[in-house]
Amino acid sequence: MQVFNEDLNDILARAEADLLALKHARLFVTGGTGYIGRWLLATLCRANRVLSLDLRMTVLSRDPAKFKATDAEIANDPAIEWLHGDVLDFPYPAGTFTHVLHAATDVIAANSALDTFDVTVAGTRRVLDLSRVSGAQRLMHLSSGAVYGRIPHDIDRVPETYCGASDVGEIGAAYGIGKHAAEWLCNTYASQGGADAVSARIFAQLGPFLALDKQFAAGNFILDALEHRPFLIKGDGTPLRSYMYSTDLVVWLLAIFVRGQSGRSYNVGSDEAVSIRDLATHVAKVAGRVFPDIQVLGTPIAGAPPERYVPAINRARDELGLNIAVSLDQGLRRTIDWYRSRFSRVSS
């Protein structure tokens, strides 16, 4: 837990002013048990104690008992009240809220395209209706870089002003199309007297609690390294991605939540591009794999430019004064150290 505690302390030091702006806040939170939600809850609980914020949070979850069994320290924090329910039809809790943090997502769940779209769009509308009846003043919606669809090869880093979108002919585009529609809903509610709303378009992330056995390349490679397996790349290894460490992620989200301009979307991610093949090399080096077995199953097409999924972050830098404080290798080191400590506790 040392890495995690150090990271939380780092977040509090860097985001103290934004956290103090949440003093006496009453938050309604969805998605609090996912990777990002867990980090946000842990940060808010720590800040509540250290900075005497007098925060109260109502957290919606389909299975609070499961989270309490795995993350008891966060789940049993006295600042949190759990609401059992689904984002599509949860019962509205009594009372008022000053802030709404809508982090529910379906990016990992193996649902159908229609289910994914419904959770993303209809779920967001229900949260917006709750924010309206509860008198919330501020809402942050966690969106995704998937709203941009396939990014043209001549765009090195995609800005928020790029108006491309997912191909409606692709059934698998339900998540990106849904997030785009959800952003529109947030902005429309805000323009019609609802809570001020901001959207954070999340790109690839890295850090403790990241799933190691899902569709995240960094997590897959870390698991390969820890279990001394070959690094398996099913594609050709050329796609370019970028990876933001969890402390930067939380600092950025808090700034956007508190200071972002209503009706505006902000890219949240690193702008340091790295290919999937090179990412495997970075993970192997940081993990101490001297002669890694990196297997690339696909073959690059000669002359074809690589697929890119890297954000431009000028808006966050210029408007909110944000920056990337943790490099890729530093983030990998801290993530691998954290997982090694967990593996050693399990094996012992």
Side-chain angles (χ1 to χ4, degrees), residues 85-169:
D86 190 282
V87 71
L88 287 170
D89 57 10
F90 65 90
Y92 286 177
T96 61
F97 296 100
T98 59
H99 295 72
V100 174
L101 176 54
H102 181 34
T105 183
D106 211 25
V107 68
I108 293 179
N111 285 341
S112 71
L114 289 175
D115 287 340
T116 295
F117 187 82
D118 282 345
V119 168
T120 306
V121 180
T124 296
R125 184 152 194 182
R126 185 151 184 84
V127 171
L128 287 165
D129 285 337
L130 177 278
S131 73
R132 176 176 283 172
V133 300
S134 69
Q137 304 158 14
R138 187 82 176 170
L139 178 145
M140 180 168 68
H141 162 238
L142 296 198
S143 185
S144 168
V147 300
Y148 298 115
R150 190 176 296 276
I151 299 169
H153 298 306
D154 60 346
I155 298 180
D156 287 339
R157 298 173 177 85
V158 64
E160 293 90 344
T161 52
Y162 173 63
C163 294
S166 299
D167 184 353
V168 295

Side-chain angles (χ1 to χ4, degrees), residues 4-348:
F4 184 50
N5 286 323
E6 289 175 356
D7 283 346
L8 288 179
N9 291 336
D10 179 47
I11 293 169
L12 262 61
R14 293 169 57 196
E16 182 175 356
D18 290 324
L19 287 163
L20 288 171
L22 295 172
K23 196 174 183 69
H24 307 304
R26 299 295 179 262
L27 280 73
F28 182 78
V29 181
T30 72
T33 61
Y35 169 71
I36 297 176
R38 181 185 275 122
W39 269 100
L40 287 168
L41 287 185
T43 297
L44 291 169
C45 289
R46 174 72 64 88
N48 197 38
R49 295 191 299 271
V50 174
L51 302 177
S52 301
L53 297 182
D54 183 34
L55 282 180
R56 294 291 182 272
M57 293 175 276
T58 297
V59 183
L60 175 68
S61 172
R62 287 173 294 187
D63 194 351
K66 180 180 179 181
F67 187 71
K68 290 178 181 180
T70 58
D71 295 86
E73 183 176 356
I74 300 173
N76 294 320
D77 191 284
I80 295 178
E81 178 183 3
W82 291 92
L83 176 66
H84 184 274
D86 190 282
V87 71
L88 287 170
D89 57 10
F90 65 90
Y92 286 177
T96 61
F97 296 100
T98 59
H99 295 72
V100 174
L101 176 54
H102 181 34
T105 183
D106 211 25
V107 68
I108 293 179
N111 285 341
S112 71
L114 289 175
D115 287 340
T116 295
F117 187 82
D118 282 345
V119 168
T120 306
V121 180
T124 296
R125 184 152 194 182
R126 185 151 184 84
V127 171
L128 287 165
D129 285 337
L130 177 278
S131 73
R132 176 176 283 172
V133 300
S134 69
Q137 304 158 14
R138 187 82 176 170
L139 178 145
M140 180 168 68
H141 162 238
L142 296 198
S143 185
S144 168
V147 300
Y148 298 115
R150 190 176 296 276
I151 299 169
H153 298 306
D154 60 346
I155 298 180
D156 287 339
R157 298 173 177 85
V158 64
E160 293 90 344
T161 52
Y162 173 63
C163 294
S166 299
D167 184 353
V168 295
E170 294 183 10
I171 303 303
Y175 180 71
I177 294 172
K179 282 298 186 183
H180 205 266
E183 287 191 27
W184 178 85
L185 280 170
C186 292
N187 295 340
T188 301
Y189 270 67
S191 71
Q192 296 180 356
D196 286 349
V198 289
S199 290
R201 292 176 175 168
I202 311 294
F203 283 73
Q205 299 296 318
L206 175 68
F209 301 115
L210 181 73
L212 301 186
D213 57 352
K214 301 298 182 182
Q215 71 272 33
F216 309 120
N220 295 163
F221 293 155
I222 289 171
L223 186 59
D224 291 337
L226 293 177
E227 296 193 341
H228 301 281
R229 303 186 312 211
F231 294 80
L232 184 64
I233 300 173
K234 295 180 180 179
D236 64 12
T238 63
L240 296 170
R241 301 288 185 267
S242 62
Y243 298 88
M244 173 184 250
Y245 188 62
S246 47
T247 53
D248 284 333
L249 167 68
V250 178
V251 168
W252 282 43
L253 290 179
L254 289 169
I256 293 167
F257 195 17
V258 170
R259 296 185 277 122
Q261 181 180 327
S262 182
R264 209 150 172 79
S265 299
Y266 295 84
N267 286 341
V268 177
S270 169
D271 60 351
E272 178 188 351
V274 60
S275 73
I276 299 297
R277 175 66 173 78
D278 287 343
L279 175 66
T281 302
H282 277 272
V283 173
K285 178 181 177 182
V286 172
R289 295 283 297 275
V290 180
F291 300 107
D293 180 8
I294 300 176
Q295 301 177 11
V296 182
L297 302 185
T299 302
I301 300 173
E307 173 198 339
R308 304 185 67 90
Y309 186 65
V310 182
I313 55 178
N314 307 67
R315 178 173 288 181
R317 279 175 168 155
D318 295 344
E319 294 185 11
L320 304 175
L322 297 170
N323 60 74
I324 300 297
V326 182
S327 70
L328 173 60
D329 284 351
Q330 289 170 334
L332 288 171
R333 165 60 60 199
R334 297 187 71 79
T335 305
I336 290 170
D337 286 349
W338 185 80
Y339 268 107
R340 276 181 170 152
S341 70
R342 286 174 68 90
F343 281 25
S344 64
R345 287 200 301 274
V346 170
S347 61
S348 61

